[in-house]
Amino acid sequence: MKEHLYQFSKTALIVIDLQKWIGDQYAPYSAEQVVERASAMVQTFREAGAFVGLVRVSSKDFKDMPRPLLDQEPPAIKLVPGWDKIVPEIGVTANDHLIIKRQWGAFYGTDLDQQLRRRGITTIVLCGIASGIGVDTTAREAFAHGYQVIFAIDAMTGFSEAEHEHVSKVIFPRIGRIRTTEEILACAALQS
């Protein structure tokens, strides 16, 4: 028997940072694999009329971004023209909710929590890049806000395999449920 993970009417799919700046320095999954799997979930959630939140980093002049003192420089990211646009494989429809963030997590400084609560959403499915940064921070914020979290573990990837493995083995099981894209889509099929 298939597991009933969620109900579309109370669940949002939140896609983290699948925008044109993504490169090829990820593990254990490539950006292409993540985009393909996320795209399948986006399409399924859209067809069901469920909440799809597309999160992206954006800034006009980078003066609104955090500038902490660091012991280690972050990975270099090549900003190509249109770097802050959602990848074309996912695209943006009129019913999607665009969330612009200027830090790692999708809750702080955005209206994501308000949009979810006003719609009675209690569960979020998370996917995107990078599992140990944007996905992890958003998941912790969702947990702190009282949401049920489902991790589409093969529709996310890290800057290294060690980063991805750490959050998927140590952090994520403590704040939500880990499932594959196939398992999440199978639950969708039960509702149609």
Side-chain angles (χ1 to χ4, degrees):
M1 171 147 169
K2 300 258 187 218
E3 177 183 27
H4 190 73
L5 282 173
Y6 59 86
Q7 295 177 301
F8 279 124
S9 63
K10 297 196 171 289
T11 305
L13 174 64
I14 306 298
V15 180
I16 304 294
D17 298 345
L18 294 187
Q19 56 194 84
K20 290 186 178 181
W21 61 265
I22 58 177
D24 57 4
Q25 71 274 21
Y26 304 106
Y29 305 107
S30 69
E32 292 79 17
Q33 289 173 308
V34 170
V35 168
E36 179 182 335
R37 293 170 184 151
S39 182
M41 288 188 294
V42 166
Q43 187 63 31
T44 297
F45 273 67
R46 283 175 179 156
E47 288 171 1
F51 187 101
V52 174
L54 303 176
V55 180
R56 65 188 179 103
V57 177
S58 184
S59 180
K60 288 188 184 339
D61 60 10
F62 293 93
K63 291 181 180 177
D64 54 355
M65 302 294 237
R67 289 183 293 283
L69 299 175
L70 303 171
D71 285 333
Q72 178 181 348
E73 286 300 313
I77 296 173
K78 182 180 176 187
L79 298 182
V80 298
W83 67 273
D84 61 345
K85 305 296 182 221
I86 300 297
V87 293
E89 296 88 342
I90 290 178
V92 178
T93 69
N95 293 327
D96 295 335
H97 297 272
L98 289 172
I99 298 105
I100 297 174
K101 66 184 181 87
R102 291 175 173 83
Q103 61 284 322
W104 287 3
F107 281 89
Y108 180 78
T110 75
D111 70 341
L112 179 57
D113 183 52
Q114 180 183 53
Q115 295 298 329
L116 297 175
R117 289 190 191 282
R118 289 190 177 172
R119 289 168 173 77
I121 292 172
T122 58
T123 302
I124 65 171
V125 175
L126 277 173
C127 63
I129 294 175
S131 44
I133 298 177
V135 176
D136 176 57
T137 304
T138 300
R140 291 174 192 238
E141 292 171 338
F143 174 77
H145 280 80
Y147 293 98
Q148 300 298 318
V149 181
I150 301 169
F151 297 95
I153 202 65
D154 59 346
M156 65 179 71
T157 195
F159 283 105
S160 69
E161 193 159 349
E163 171 194 314
H164 180 81
E165 287 299 310
H166 173 73
V167 293
S168 64
K169 302 279 191 233
V170 178
I171 305 300
F172 295 168
R174 295 179 180 177
I175 59 177
R177 295 171 288 166
I178 298 172
R179 300 296 185 272
T180 64
T181 300
E182 184 178 321
E183 290 169 319
I184 292 165
L185 293 174
C187 181
L190 292 174
Q191 297 180 61
S192 38

